[in-house]
Amino acid sequence: MNSKNTTTSPILVLGTTGKTGRRVAQRLRKKGIPVRIGSRSATPAFDWENQATWADVLKNIKAAYITFYPDLAVSGAPQAIHAFCQLAVKSGIEHLVLLSGRGEEEAQRCENIVKSAGTAWTILRSSWFSQNFSEGFIRDFVLAGHIALPAGAVREPFVDVEDIADVAVAALTESGHAGELYELTGPRLLTFSDAANEIGKATGQPVQYTQIPQQVFIKTLTEKNVPAETIGLLDYLFTTVLDGRNEQLTDGVHRALGRQPRDFSAYAQKTAANAAWQK
Ligand SMILES: NC(=O)c1ccc[n+]([C@@H]2O[C@H](COP(=O)([O-])OP(=O)(O)OC[C@H]3O[C@@H](n4cnc5c(N)ncnc54)[C@H](OP(=O)(O)O)[C@@H]3O)[C@@H](O)[C@H]2O)c1
């Protein structure tokens, strides 16, 4: 792989405070590449819900890492991605790197919008993040020692967001990744119960797993005042996307980086060692 650095202008990282964006920004800074922060709390601010904020963050930007919030599968996402890409190309952007989701038809519509935007593109089509257990909505369940979710025997190739960040940085800073769609998975298929066991082994505190009916899950989220849009998204992910369609491993990490992806047990051990599951 050609590792020539092709940019010294700032790289825009949307979701700089999120799971992948934070790691992408850290890696770019370590390489001495300036980062334009994409966050509602940055100056200039970036807000997906306010198009008037988009032009300022795109000024003098040659490449961007695009993470949409909350998910490319929500209604309005294709329109937002289309409008953002049009503006980015008009602003002179030369490379768009999109974080996408595996097995989501709607996300694939957004991928196509990026591909046809009129500039170089790379798609990172990712499976469920391992870090959902430590930095996302499943963390509270882990802290309680009991994960209760609607997923049963279905297996998911959880991917470590450190790998996603490595691929994103390679795509943003090296030649050879334009026009590539990388399907990013971990190296192993695990049920949610397997994942709970791995975390229990790593922390020394057993984590129980129980499959609960979808309606009970939705009712619990509603009682906890989780926003309706988030409930709709989780309902869709657990009923439609986690139906077995993603039960295959892919070679995306290897193709992009020339090495194997990190395993879930390594993630669990490292996360436990960093005290991320301490109350
Ligand atoms: N989680 C997974 O397993 C998974 C798997 C595959 C793909 N994905 C994709 O990853 C993306 C992010 O997923 P995540 O749930 O893990 O979130 P995340 O990246 O950890 O964090 C959310 C980020 O979104 C930003 N944000 C929230 N509302 C925003 C708004 N209105 N405008 C601009 N930025 C906003 C937040 O920034 P500020 O608060 O600083 O503004 C924060 O940086 C989604 O597109 C999803 O489809 C996720």
Side-chain angles (χ1 to χ4, degrees):
M1 185 190 302
N2 182 350
S3 62
K4 189 170 153 273
N5 188 342
T6 56
T7 178
T8 47
S9 354
I11 291 181
L12 172 63
V13 178
L14 299 184
T16 323
T17 55
K19 296 179 199 69
T20 63
R22 178 164 59 82
R23 290 167 167 94
V24 170
Q26 276 166 358
R27 282 161 169 76
L28 292 173
R29 289 188 184 114
K30 220 167 159 189
K31 281 174 167 278
I33 298 169
V35 170
R36 173 86 40 86
I37 295 171
S39 162
R40 289 166 300 174
S41 56
T43 309
F46 174 82
D47 189 342
W48 278 113
E49 290 177 17
N50 180 3
Q51 280 201 34
T53 64
W54 300 0
D56 277 356
V57 298
L58 281 165
K59 268 185 200 143
N60 304 317
I61 292 291
K62 291 274 184 276
Y65 176 60
I66 306 176
T67 64
F68 186 74
Y69 193 84
D71 197 288
L72 292 177
V74 304
S75 68
Q79 291 80 358
I81 293 293
H82 177 77
F84 180 80
C85 290
Q86 292 304 304
L87 189 60
V89 170
K90 210 169 131 200
S91 311
I93 210 145
E94 291 170 6
H95 195 165
L96 298 168
V97 176
L98 176 75
L99 175 66
S100 179
R102 231 173 143 227
E104 298 178 5
E105 245 174 69
E106 299 81 351
Q108 272 122 61
R109 235 179 106 195
C110 294
E111 293 174 5
N112 291 335
I113 291 167
V114 171
K115 286 180 182 177
S116 56
T119 192
W121 54 266
T122 308
I123 308 290
L124 314 186
R125 188 188 284 169
S126 303
S127 48
W128 272 60
F129 302 164
S130 301
Q131 278 76 1
N132 289 332
F133 290 88
S134 48
E135 298 171 29
F137 79 102
I138 309 177
R139 181 171 183 268
D140 285 347
F141 288 105
V142 175
L143 294 188
H146 184 192
I147 303 174
L149 291 172
V154 70
R155 294 171 307 156
E156 174 69 17
F158 297 102
V159 64
D160 193 316
V161 297
E162 302 287 351
D163 284 335
I164 299 176
D166 284 344
V167 176
V169 169
L172 290 161
T173 63
E174 299 169 6
S175 57
H177 301 283
E180 293 289 344
L181 189 159
Y182 294 120
E183 276 213 46
L184 304 177
T185 72
R188 200 154 51 108
L189 292 163
L190 291 98
T191 62
F192 279 71
S193 178
D194 295 335
N197 279 335
E198 293 280 1
I199 295 168
K201 267 195 267 169
T203 57
Q205 303 285 327
V207 180
Q208 204 191 329
Y209 182 80
T210 308
Q211 181 185 9
I212 55 168
Q214 188 75 11
Q215 310 88 287
V216 174
F217 178 56
I218 300 301
K219 189 164 169 271
T220 311
L221 294 173
T222 309
E223 282 164 4
K224 286 185 176 165
N225 293 320
V226 173
E229 189 181 39
T230 309
I231 296 179
L233 178 60
L234 290 170
D235 187 23
Y236 164 75
L237 291 173
F238 278 99
T239 51
T240 307
V241 182
L242 278 171
D243 65 351
R245 69 182 65 187
N246 289 336
E247 273 188 330
Q248 327 92 35
L249 305 176
T250 62
D251 65 352
V253 171
H254 190 267
R255 223 157 43 78
L257 303 173
R259 63 159 177 80
Q260 292 305 319
R262 294 164 168 93
D263 188 67
F264 191 90
S265 63
Y267 150 76
Q269 281 156 21
K270 189 174 162 200
T271 306
N274 289 339
W277 285 306
Q278 280 180 16
K279 288 182 200 172

